[in-house]
Amino acid sequence: LSYGGPMIRKLALVLVVAGCSGGSGGPAGGNVSKDQYTSEAYKAICAHYATCGIAKSADSCNQYYQSLLGSYASQSYNFYDKAIEDGKIKYDGQAAARCLNGYANAACSISALLAPAADCRSVYVGQVPVGSSCGFGQCVPSAFCTSEVDGKCPGTCKTRVEAGGAATSPAECVAGLTVASGKCAELPKEGAACTTARRAPHAGVLG
């Protein structure tokens, strides 16, 4: 598989929160420290991309991501540090290890690469309840922060929308759903017709 620059850039956004492949290049043991997670994620996803033929090599892929997302990832990481310190986000090192190692046997398909596994969505877990003021990624898993949709801060945590409910962004939908024709919907199966709007939710660096 070779998806070229635009696809590589889209898939790159999975890095920090969604996690990536492990295999022989994955983290040792059953826990990944918060300080190690971002660098391990770069290594792991590049190993997977090289295996799937999306990248020419793990090394060239890692260099590309560092130049593309390095400073952004660092800024995002500082944001999470403050949110964690304030008790608005919880970091789970064991989920991080499972996430990083979980892609060792993952399929080389767009759906597998863009739809984060449950462990990957559990690395950074929001702690802010529905109805409370929030920032990006700070709401409990059953909710989303309106800042993730309209970009206005602070936002408010609202309950995620089930399949069939009206939505304008995948961030509003229950985990694993996307948006199609203005409603939360299941991701299309491999080979099925799709549009650029039907992307996996939570595939952003922070969401």
Side-chain angles (χ1 to χ4, degrees):
L1 299 175
S2 180
Y3 301 116
M7 180 57 71
I8 286 285
R9 287 191 289 274
K10 289 180 182 179
L11 295 178
L13 298 179
V14 179
L15 270 174
V16 177
V17 171
C20 13
S21 65
S24 59
N31 189 80
V32 177
S33 73
K34 181 166 60 67
D35 294 340
Q36 294 176 318
Y37 180 64
T38 298
S39 62
E40 290 292 340
Y42 280 119
K43 294 176 185 177
I45 199 168
C46 283
H48 187 55
Y49 283 4
T51 298
C52 292
I54 297 172
K56 291 182 179 179
S57 70
D59 287 342
S60 64
C61 169
N62 191 55
Q63 291 174 4
Y64 177 79
Y65 282 146
Q66 291 293 347
S67 64
L68 182 67
L69 293 178
S71 61
Y72 186 22
S74 177
Q75 292 167 8
S76 303
Y77 188 73
N78 292 338
F79 166 83
Y80 275 133
D81 273 352
K82 182 65 166 63
I84 291 171
E85 181 181 334
D86 292 343
K88 295 180 178 180
I89 290 178
K90 180 180 178 181
Y91 174 78
D92 187 336
Q94 294 182 339
R98 293 193 300 270
C99 171
L100 291 172
N101 288 320
Y103 273 66
N105 299 312
C108 293
S109 66
I110 293 297
S111 57
L113 291 167
L114 287 181
D119 284 325
C120 299
R121 295 194 301 266
S122 300
V123 175
Y124 294 103
V125 181
Q127 304 295 301
V128 179
V130 172
S132 298
S133 177
C134 59
F136 209 87
Q138 296 178 0
C139 298
V140 293
S142 61
F144 71 96
C145 186
T146 56
S147 296
E148 299 167 19
V149 179
D150 60 23
K152 298 177 182 179
C153 295
T156 302
C157 289
K158 292 187 176 181
T159 302
R160 291 192 182 277
V161 180
E162 299 283 348
T168 59
S169 167
E172 300 172 74
C173 302
V174 169
L177 300 181
T178 186
V179 170
S181 301
K183 296 181 179 181
C184 291
E186 298 289 340
L187 284 165
K189 301 296 183 181
E190 197 75 14
C194 62
T195 67
T196 54
R198 299 187 72 174
R199 59 186 287 276
H202 321 299
V205 174
L206 294 177

